[in-house]
Amino acid sequence: MANTAEVTREQLAGGIRAMGVRPGDLLLVHSSLSSFGRMAGGAEAAARALVDAVRPDGTAFVPVFYWGDEPFDPETTPSHVGAITEAFRKLPGARRSLCPSHSVCGIGPAAAEMFAGHDRAHPFGEGSPLWRLLERNCHVLLIGCDHRSSSMIHVAEEKEGVRYLDRQRTVLVRTEDGARQVTLRRPGCSRGFGAVDAPMRAAGMISESAVGPSRLLLMKAHDLVETARAILKEDPAGLLCGLDDCEGCREARRMIGEA
Ligand SMILES: [Zn+2]
């Protein structure tokens, strides 16, 4: 069934507010532009709506992760996690954290504090933006996507110290005279993160709404991470996927000692 109505920036911001997000709040968003069918003003309008939802004193955050071969340059490196995040990165006032693989963009007064030192932290470890956002119990909003996109769950893996966090990758960072290599912790696969859904719903931790054809899920970071930690305490492989093509999760199971 085709939905031909356009979703507007005002509808999206209003829809987020109607779920309980207030001016002054901290809002971490994962998003799918295509989930709207048609968005009036495209990705930029959607990105602006995220900021509108917490205006004037709040701060909106989006992941702007990057897995390309070019050296990371915070000014120019694109986001590889969706059109809304890439449009957000280009908005006036957007700040970006300095992790070359898993940087985060934010607009609002809390961004600088959340981002300090991300070039010296693991992507989701202590001192990373998402670790700090958890400490502030931000909202986590999923727009047209599910928990498989929810990077905050990686903070639960860090808090529990799962063995498969020991994997590393080497990336390049742009310097004045070329590039230098940086070795970073490589976060695990997220395709098993849907495991948090049933226990969170059973506990009433997820609010669900819709804006046009897009489904919105809103939760608090603390509820999300504590649910994920409980799963990991029960089974260290509990957030790994069972997909046949996932060598990463097979390797992770070997590291845990199950395979
Ligand atoms: Zn996997």
Side-chain angles (χ1 to χ4, degrees), residues 232-254:
L232 290 171
K233 284 183 204 299
E234 181 83 20
D235 175 6
L239 295 176
L240 300 175
C241 82
L243 298 167
D244 288 343
D245 67 344
C246 193
E247 177 51 39
C249 284
R250 268 203 295 279
E251 179 189 51
R253 284 191 170 86
R254 283 196 293 273

Side-chain angles (χ1 to χ4, degrees), residues 133-215:
L133 283 167
L134 170 64
E135 289 177 338
R136 300 277 295 270
N137 199 18
C138 71
H139 297 284
V140 176
L141 175 63
L142 307 178
I143 299 177
C145 56
D146 61 31
H147 301 287
R148 290 175 293 180
S149 302
S150 195
S151 308
M152 184 60 80
I153 298 174
H154 288 304
V155 179
E157 295 175 322
E158 290 278 349
K159 292 251 176 190
E160 288 301 313
V162 293
R163 284 192 204 170
Y164 54 84
L165 285 176
D166 288 344
R167 294 176 290 185
Q168 296 187 323
R169 69 154 65 93
T170 300
V171 296
L172 295 172
V173 176
R174 178 92 60 210
T175 61
E176 280 179 22
D177 50 3
R180 65 186 166 89
Q181 281 198 337
V182 176
T183 300
L184 293 172
R185 187 168 277 176
R186 178 161 61 88
C189 169
S190 61
R191 292 188 289 178
F193 284 2
V196 301
D197 195 65
M200 290 191 77
R201 286 182 190 273
M205 293 171 171
I206 297 180
S207 307
E208 186 163 2
S209 183
V211 175
S214 181
R215 193 178 61 132

